[in-house]
Amino acid sequence: MISVANILYCGIAALVLWVGPGWLLAHGLGFSRSAALAFAPALGWAMQTAAALSVALVFGFSSPVILLATAALCVCAPLLHGLAGEEERRFPMETLALAAALALVPALAVLPKVGADGAIALASPIYDHAKIALIDEIARHGVVPPGNPVYGAGGTPGTVAYYYLWHFGAAQLAFLAGAKGWEADAAATWFSTFAALGLVAGLAFRFRPGVAAPLLALLAAAAGSLRPVAGAVFGPALHRVIEPATGLAGLLYQASWSPHHVASACSAVLAVLLMAGLRARATAAGAAALALVAAAGFESSLWVGGITVALAGGTAALVLAFRGPAEGRWRFLAAVAGAAIVAGALVAPLLIAQLQAVAARGGGAPVRIEPFAVLGPLVPEGLRMVLDVPAFWLVLLPVEFPAIALAGAAGLVLALRRQPEGTQGNHRLGPALGALAFVSLLAAGILVSTAGENNDLGWRAILPAVLVLSAFAGAALAAALAAAREGRRAALAAGLVLLALGLPDALALAGRNATGAPGVDGYVFAGDADLWRAVRHEVGKDVRIASNPGRLEKLTPWPINLSWALLSRRRSCFAGKEMALAFAPLTSEEREAASDLFARVFAGTGTRADVKKLRTVFGCGAVVVTAQDGAWHTDPFSTSPLYRLAQEEDERWRIYVATGGTGTR
């Protein structure tokens, strides 16, 4: 199904492709040789993927393009000329070892778990990793922008309006390592988490040099919610006071579900770091680096790198511009404006595609202002809209982020009171990061996305703040540790208690990711690798396949055809309304109509007209019917002149291809 060896090969490719150039870039910025390693993964990933995608859009996706973009960054790294202004200090390498180990927690969520009976168990976050189909699409066809693996009218390649840079990065790993999309996704999930934790540790070290701050920052970043402890104390009464948990959660949880949003948040923090350097000395090379990092953020997440960065990053830029003497202010603003123009040009193809998709889907404005729902039914409904606003800051943030909410705020105050030790001219960095965090929290608290079924904007907008507050929390706890050695132990005790309160949730997350959730469909799914191997033998890579979008829907808490998404490495002519919601430019009525059509056909109640519509409207060049489908016993394809039977496995599957040879290899 997947190969552990291939995952390791992808991980090695990621380290070579992103950490190597990232270290040269970070060292070129002026970080010490050891401290540069903390920033290298996030910086290398952002700049290499953005550069490689820009080149691939012109010359195609290939090994020479990947290597050319990587080599160009390495050559240009010295042009940055010490922009960060760092002095030589030794960063504790054991911190990166801990970051690499903690990053395994989200990666485990992607891996299948084989039970003693041979059944496969999957962790819940695999639902969001159904976008692995996009990684396979890019790696298999070698074309960007990629075709749409979910839907293509009349069987055409279609276009993708999704922010796909992270998946493009994973496709680079699959392409170089000769791996499957599922294997590359697992490696890329690990790497993105490792990069985020390294960035947190590097920032903590910058504000509090030594061993303690980065190590404590990692523990704070890894801590989870207070809910398990509060639930054990208050029982069911907890949900009468506060709404149940949502996707607004800590770093390891969000990386388990959506590592591309985490990568985008890293780019947002890096952008502020680069702007702080530009404020000290504006250079063309620094502006170019800022443009690539900003582009990487947007191309990985509209919610984080687009809307949140426009608000929070813009505020941070103004703080940098108007804090301190006026000398160099207008040169800095010109450099930032130039970087914004270049970044806008880089993301223009994806931005235009997203705007066109929004217009095609309809449904009104994709974002509205609305307080995040915090308080439960114990509070009268009429008061909630008013009280939810302060409750977000005073209740929800301490509950969801006990380890970093208060300690991070304390660390920010310390950073505002004094210049970071051992740095040169970085007294503006703390306020700028504070502005980024505050506006990120503000956006999470009052903005709601309407484009999907969930409030993805609110859940993801908080991520830059999570990274920044984790770093500040590490610095604050390290300062409290130093004070404790002098007899002042209250602050340290309070910080460690808050940190400990978040550990049960983190351990529970690790357990769920490692063991998965055994389901009734797990045994059938275990045999589906053979099914899709047979399909690939009969069906060419450009052919769209019709399969039951609701098949094995109990593999996850929400229905989706994971068998196709994870194993097929082939395009679907309609992969279900859940996938179409993210990828296809269809209105809600069109999605429902398509969903009903495919449900009828694979339930065995479809008509000849329905089968014809699959062929002519959706361009289904092949069909897969399995024993789990109602159509297995009342098969509408067996009597259709539009399809012929290409292969049948007794009591398992039938593979049909379109007549006339259009569905064959």
Side-chain angles (χ1 to χ4, degrees):
M1 187 167 285
I2 65 170
S3 164
V4 175
N6 281 349
I7 296 174
L8 292 175
Y9 294 150
C10 288
I12 293 170
L15 294 173
V16 173
L17 198 63
W18 297 322
V19 175
W23 183 86
L24 291 173
L25 291 163
H27 191 46
L29 284 169
F31 290 105
S32 66
R33 288 181 176 85
S34 59
L37 279 173
F39 295 94
L43 185 62
W45 176 88
M47 295 187 67
Q48 191 278 336
T49 52
L53 178 59
S54 298
V55 177
L57 287 170
V58 178
F59 297 104
F61 181 71
S62 64
S63 296
V65 164
I66 295 172
L67 298 177
L68 175 64
T70 307
L73 290 175
C74 295
V75 171
C76 294
L79 298 177
L80 295 174
H81 293 306
L83 198 66
E86 186 87 354
E87 291 184 350
E88 185 68 31
R89 293 174 295 168
R90 184 189 175 278
F91 181 82
M93 291 296 104
E94 57 269 32
T95 302
L96 295 183
L98 177 59
L102 289 172
L104 292 173
V105 172
L108 287 172
V110 185
L111 302 181
K113 294 82 181 170
V114 183
D117 59 352
I120 298 292
L122 298 170
S124 295
I126 198 66
Y127 176 85
D128 260 12
H129 289 265
K131 300 178 183 73
I132 284 168
L134 184 55
I135 301 173
D136 279 321
E137 172 72 24
I138 297 171
R140 183 174 65 252
H141 291 272
V143 176
V144 287
N148 192 324
V150 170
Y151 169 81
T156 62
T159 57
V160 170
Y162 195 77
Y163 28 87
Y164 61 84
L165 181 68
W166 187 90
H167 304 88
F168 170 82
Q172 290 187 96
L173 305 184
F175 191 82
L176 294 175
K180 302 169 187 173
W182 194 351
E183 295 159 346
D185 186 283
T189 298
W190 171 82
F191 185 88
S192 295
T193 312
F194 171 59
L197 291 170
L199 180 60
V200 165
L203 286 175
F205 181 78
R206 189 172 181 83
F207 283 93
R208 188 82 187 185
V211 176
L215 287 174
L216 290 168
L218 289 186
L219 294 177
S225 172
L226 183 62
R227 288 179 185 271
V229 175
V233 174
F234 298 106
L238 178 66
H239 289 161
R240 290 182 51 78
V241 178
I242 187 172
E243 286 284 335
T246 64
L248 187 141
L251 179 59
L252 294 186
Y253 181 94
Q254 299 232 33
S256 299
W257 284 85
S258 301
H260 53 297
H261 294 300
V262 172
S264 182
C266 290
S267 296
V269 176
L270 287 171
V272 173
L273 190 64
L274 288 169
M275 286 193 294
L278 283 172
R279 183 64 174 91
R281 185 173 67 258
T283 65
L290 176 60
L292 281 176
V293 168
F298 178 86
E299 291 171 332
S300 299
S301 170
L302 167 66
W303 308 122
V304 179
I307 294 173
T308 305
V309 166
L311 298 172
T315 303
L318 292 176
V319 169
L320 287 167
F322 292 98
R323 182 177 173 86
E327 182 181 358
R329 176 178 298 159
W330 298 111
R331 184 180 300 173
F332 163 75
L333 289 174
V336 172
I341 293 172
V342 173
L346 292 175
V347 307
L350 187 58
L351 176 59
I352 292 171
Q354 289 189 64
L355 292 175
Q356 290 174 339
V358 169
R361 290 172 184 145
V367 177
R368 67 172 182 262
I369 298 177
E370 180 181 307
F372 198 99
V374 177
L375 299 174
L378 190 64
V379 179
E381 187 174 352
L383 291 176
R384 283 184 218 162
M385 288 290 287
V386 177
L387 297 180
D388 273 343
V389 175
F392 176 83
W393 297 87
L394 301 176
V395 178
L396 187 63
L397 293 183
V399 167
E400 297 296 357
F401 310 101
I404 65 173
L406 298 179
L412 173 59
V413 171
L414 291 176
L416 294 176
R417 288 175 56 186
R418 61 188 180 89
Q419 179 177 334
E421 296 178 9
T423 60
Q424 300 173 359
N426 279 307
H427 57 284
R428 300 183 184 91
L429 180 59
L433 289 173
L436 177 73
F438 175 75
V439 179
S440 296
L441 293 171
L442 187 64
I446 63 171
L447 296 182
V448 174
S449 57
T450 62
E453 296 177 345
N454 300 312
N455 179 19
D456 283 310
L457 173 56
W459 296 354
R460 314 308 176 197
I462 204 167
L463 278 167
V466 169
L467 296 177
V468 170
L469 290 177
S470 296
F472 281 140
L477 290 172
L481 180 62
R485 295 192 183 103
E486 300 174 0
R488 293 171 292 168
R489 299 183 176 87
L492 178 62
L496 293 179
V497 167
L498 292 172
L499 183 63
L501 290 174
L503 292 181
D505 188 44
L507 293 173
L509 173 68
R512 293 193 302 269
N513 286 356
T515 60
V520 296
D521 292 330
Y523 184 78
V524 176
F525 180 74
D528 274 4
D530 295 333
L531 161 64
W532 292 109
R533 191 178 301 112
V535 171
R536 289 192 296 273
H537 181 267
E538 300 292 343
V539 179
K541 67 177 182 178
D542 295 324
V543 177
R544 291 196 177 272
I545 298 171
S547 60
N548 185 356
R551 182 171 180 268
L552 308 186
E553 61 182 18
K554 294 182 180 179
L555 278 171
T556 60
W558 307 272
I560 196 169
N561 189 346
L562 280 180
S563 177
W564 162 80
L566 303 181
L567 299 172
S568 74
R569 292 154 64 195
R570 287 294 184 268
R571 292 171 178 164
S572 172
C573 47
F574 182 74
K577 60 183 179 181
E578 292 81 11
M579 293 289 282
L581 185 62
F583 285 114
L586 300 172
T587 65
S588 59
E589 292 80 10
E590 291 170 332
R591 287 193 301 272
E592 289 295 336
S595 180
D596 291 343
L597 169 66
F598 277 73
R600 284 197 308 273
V601 170
F602 284 95
T605 60
T607 64
R608 279 179 169 266
D610 289 335
V611 173
K612 183 178 180 180
K613 188 175 291 187
L614 261 61
R615 181 73 190 100
T616 58
V617 176
F618 290 87
C620 302
V623 178
V624 176
V625 179
T626 69
Q628 290 74 47
D629 301 325
W632 182 259
H633 299 290
T634 52
D635 190 341
F637 301 100
S638 62
T639 58
S640 172
L642 299 176
Y643 294 95
R644 64 174 178 83
L645 181 65
Q647 185 185 128
E648 181 172 4
E649 181 77 8
D650 289 344
E651 300 304 320
R652 294 186 69 186
W653 65 72
R654 299 185 192 116
I655 302 170
Y656 293 92
V657 296
T659 53
T662 55
T664 58
R665 293 175 62 84

